């Protein structure tokens, strides 16, 4: 197994966990929670593969991704029934999932020799769209539109990975530094409520 493959499986699991933590607030049953967990876990990568023409999409020929999402969602569902977790606890694993998916999406695009700007966008799409799908299915305004810096953190990490790759920095080190950047920026934004300028409603 390559590092990217292992990170991809971890990302699906983390995203499935965050989706389950978010979905439990809607008091869904086990089937509904696991369905949202799986769809959220593979959603961003599916959109990436369709845009890049990597068909069939990755989880069709490797169903372990779906299995990982189902197991992670199921375990989190039952643990969530026993543990009294803080309301916004899911924001921490969500930041980790964002970092994992972003570097995976960017790495895949770079290996396909996609122009650097598009590679960065593929990283962001892979990172954020699983959460967008999760929130839509939970009848919530997507987190990307209602929270502190989110997609910007993903973009920063994606661009850092592209720069490090351009200078032939060790791949594992580049992945680690890029993920650390994303998690640090995202958690700092949560802690100090950092956000981009917003359009005033009274204009």
């Amino acid at each position: 197994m390559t590092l990217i493959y292992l990170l991809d499986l971890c990302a699906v699991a983390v995203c499935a966990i965050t989706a389950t933590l978010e979905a439990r607030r809607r008091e869904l049953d086990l089937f509904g929670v696991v369905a949202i967990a799986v769809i959220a876990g593979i959603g961003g990568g599916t959109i990436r593969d369709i845009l890049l023409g990597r068909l069939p999409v990755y989880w069709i020929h490797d169903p372990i991704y779906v299995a990982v999402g189902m197991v992670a969602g199921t375990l989190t569902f039952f643990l969530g029934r026993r543990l009294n977790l803080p309301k916004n606890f899911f924001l921490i694993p969500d930041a980790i999932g964002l970092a994992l998916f972003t570097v995976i999406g960017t790495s895949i695009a770079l290996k396909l020799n996609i122009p650097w700007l598009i590679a960065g966008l593929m990283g962001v799409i892979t990172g954020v769209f699983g959460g967008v799908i999760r929130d839509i299915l939970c009848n919530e305004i997507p987190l990307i539109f209602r929270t502190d810096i989110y997609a910007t953190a993903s973009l920063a990490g994606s661009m850092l990975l592209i720069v490090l790759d351009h200078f032939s920095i060790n791949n594992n080190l580049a992945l680690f530094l890029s993920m650390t950047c994303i998690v640090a920026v995202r958690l700092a934004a949560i802690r100090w409520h950092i956000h981009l300028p917003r359009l005033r409603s009274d204009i």
Side-chain angles (χ1 to χ4, degrees), residues 74-173:
T74 302
L75 291 177
T76 307
F77 176 87
F78 287 107
L79 286 175
R81 288 164 57 90
R82 295 178 177 274
L83 301 178
N84 185 22
L85 298 173
K87 179 180 178 181
N88 291 326
F89 175 79
F90 86 98
L91 292 175
I92 297 175
D94 185 72
I96 298 172
L98 175 67
L100 287 168
F101 272 132
T102 298
V103 299
I104 290 164
T106 306
S107 296
I108 288 173
L110 288 174
K111 288 181 179 179
L112 294 175
N113 295 317
I114 301 297
W116 68 268
L117 179 59
I118 305 304
L121 292 177
M122 289 299 106
V124 175
I125 287 172
T126 309
V128 307
F129 268 85
V132 170
I133 295 170
R134 173 199 67 210
D135 291 340
I136 291 174
L137 292 176
C138 290
N139 198 29
E140 295 273 2
I141 298 174
L143 189 66
I144 186 177
F145 300 132
R146 58 183 169 87
T147 190
D148 306 310
I149 286 177
Y150 191 83
T152 307
S154 174
L155 182 62
S158 182
M159 290 296 106
L160 176 58
L161 180 58
I162 291 170
V163 170
L164 295 175
D165 178 77
H166 176 74
F167 288 102
S168 300
I169 303 300
N170 177 271
N171 185 59
N172 291 348
L173 177 61

Side-chain angles (χ1 to χ4, degrees), residues 1-9 65 111 171-172 175:
M1 288 187 179
T2 65
L3 178 60
I4 290 295
Y5 183 69
L6 290 174
L7 290 176
D8 210 3
L9 292 177
Y65 288 100
K111 288 181 179 179
N171 185 59
N172 291 348
L175 292 173

